[in-house]
Amino acid sequence: MINLNTTCKNTWCPACGNFGILAAFKKAIENEDLNKIAITAGIGCHAKIADYLNINSFYSLHGRSIPAAEGIKLANPEMKVIVFTGDGDSLDEGIAHLIHAAKRNSDITVILHNNRLFALTTGQFTAVSVEGFKGKSTPMGAPESPLNPLELLLAANATFIARSYSGNIKHLEETIKKAMDHKGFSIVEVLEPCVSFFNTSEYYNKNTYVLEDKNLDSREEALSKIKEWDYTMEDKKIPLGIFYDIKKEEYHKRALINKKEETVEEILLELI
Ligand SMILES: Cc1ncc(C[n+]2csc(CCOP(=O)(O)OP(=O)(O)O)c2C)c(N)n1
Ligand code: SF4
């Protein structure tokens, strides 16, 4: 078996939720052909995962981890492409890319490290920060209520929508595997404590529960499960699992249709 470790020094804070995501991903790809996998990362604490995995990887600009992945998939449709992105990366800086990748059903898997703030820059609020969050950019408390990113992605016509938790590594591993096997756009939102700036471990340990995989093709049921938790820190149950999973032709198949005689370079030049 290939050693996935690198020689990079790990600089995540002890007990950071990113460790759980790294461990679950390593297990999820244990039986994959690593020549057929590529990962992209945004910029932030989450993105250091690219430093810690001995695998094809691309460190993008902040907010641009998704278009980088879409480009890799279009150029080489045989690859499984996985995006590691933060909530700041994809729900603030690069939110338009996330919406459009879901809308066009790009065959990529997005792993959203949702620690509910910009962590690497020491704790500014993001679109999913809790109302009243006091950080470097909101010392008086954030006056906005959080966005529900999964509701947004359902509206954007994402074909696979799931949530897991970095503190439940087995569940996360299984969810990542299913997302990678899905043909089309898949999102796994990972609830992730940032122990230094927004430590949610106790809250998620207490409130998360695992859903049964049923009626995954019902949009109405998906919406109702997705809206069960409103991203507050009130004592409410938080469902983990797959909310929605439907079949729809992937973007690269439609984009590259009737282009089989051309080289990948020619196709890409036409698409730019
Ligand atoms: C275009 C751009 N804007 C801002 C920054 C500064 N910056 C670097 S990391 C970061 C925070 C990243 O937050 P998030 O994506 O949530 O990841 P986390 O650190 O929480 O894992 C910011 C704002 C940057 N590098 N590039
Ligand atoms: S600042 Fe937060 S997200 Fe970044 S490594 Fe430390 S605990 Fe993890």
Side-chain angles (χ1 to χ4, degrees):
M1 190 188 292
I2 293 177
N3 180 6
L4 284 170
N5 298 328
T6 66
T7 52
C8 291
K9 182 172 184 266
N10 192 310
T11 56
W12 285 329
C13 309
C16 168
N18 281 310
F19 285 103
I21 301 179
L22 177 62
F25 183 67
K26 280 181 172 173
K27 290 290 286 174
I29 59 170
E30 227 169 42
N31 298 317
E32 295 279 345
D33 174 358
L34 296 186
N35 292 317
K36 294 275 168 62
I37 289 190
I39 66 168
T40 69
I43 299 293
C45 296
H46 67 275
K48 295 181 190 178
I49 201 163
D51 293 333
Y52 309 145
L53 282 166
N54 180 19
I55 194 171
N56 300 313
S57 60
F58 184 88
Y59 233 126
S60 80
L61 297 174
H62 199 18
R64 306 295 177 254
S65 47
I66 288 175
E70 293 186 278
I72 294 171
K73 184 71 194 184
L74 274 176
N76 192 344
E78 299 303 306
M79 302 293 276
K80 283 190 181 178
V81 189
I82 300 102
V83 179
F84 292 92
T85 185
D87 46 304
D89 197 57
S90 272
L91 298 176
D92 286 281
E93 303 267 349
I95 191 167
H97 297 299
L98 179 71
I99 294 169
H100 283 271
K103 171 189 170 284
R104 60 173 77 101
N105 200 27
S106 280
D107 189 18
I108 59 174
T109 295
V110 176
I111 299 183
L112 175 64
H113 300 225
N114 189 359
N115 56 14
R116 308 186 65 184
L117 41 61
F118 288 100
L120 188 69
T121 41
T122 69
Q124 294 77 20
F125 100 118
T126 66
V128 278
S129 291
V130 73
E131 190 170 342
F133 171 75
K134 287 190 179 165
K136 297 278 162 62
S137 58
T138 51
M140 315 271 286
E144 300 173 34
S145 47
L147 175 81
N148 183 327
L150 302 186
E151 188 180 354
L152 177 74
L153 288 169
L154 185 69
N157 288 332
T159 51
F160 182 104
I161 302 176
R163 178 190 289 138
S164 189
Y165 168 40
S166 60
N168 188 340
I169 295 177
K170 189 70 199 153
H171 182 264
L172 180 55
E173 175 202 335
E174 281 163 10
T175 310
I176 291 174
K177 273 192 200 155
K178 287 176 189 162
M180 285 173 60
D181 287 343
H182 175 78
K183 300 209 179 315
F185 179 89
S186 52
I187 172 96
V188 181
E189 177 198 20
V190 187
L191 302 177
E192 179 205 45
C194 166
V195 292
S196 294
F197 300 109
F198 191 56
N199 193 350
T200 44
S201 303
E202 213 176 292
Y203 177 70
Y204 291 146
N205 284 341
K206 178 164 178 265
N207 291 292
T208 53
Y209 76 97
V210 176
L211 287 166
E212 277 176 52
D213 285 356
K214 59 176 189 186
N215 300 337
L216 297 181
D217 57 355
S218 160
R219 213 177 164 82
E220 291 68 34
E221 284 205 28
L223 185 61
S224 126
K225 284 184 274 186
I226 283 171
K227 292 189 82 161
E228 196 175 317
W229 177 52
D230 55 5
Y231 290 78
T232 59
M233 294 294 286
E234 284 162 23
D235 205 9
K236 291 183 179 165
K237 286 289 168 208
I238 306 173
L240 305 179
I242 301 171
F243 300 114
Y244 195 54
D245 183 3
I246 59 158
K247 288 190 178 30
K248 185 178 171 190
E249 191 176 40
E250 308 96 287
Y251 177 69
H252 64 274
K253 292 194 179 153
R254 281 173 285 139
L256 303 181
I257 205 158
N258 300 329
K259 308 261 183 196
K260 295 198 174 62
E261 305 305 317
E262 297 172 71
T263 64
V264 167
E265 288 76 13
E266 284 166 340
I267 293 167
L268 286 177
L269 279 174
E270 279 177 39
L271 289 173
I272 294 169

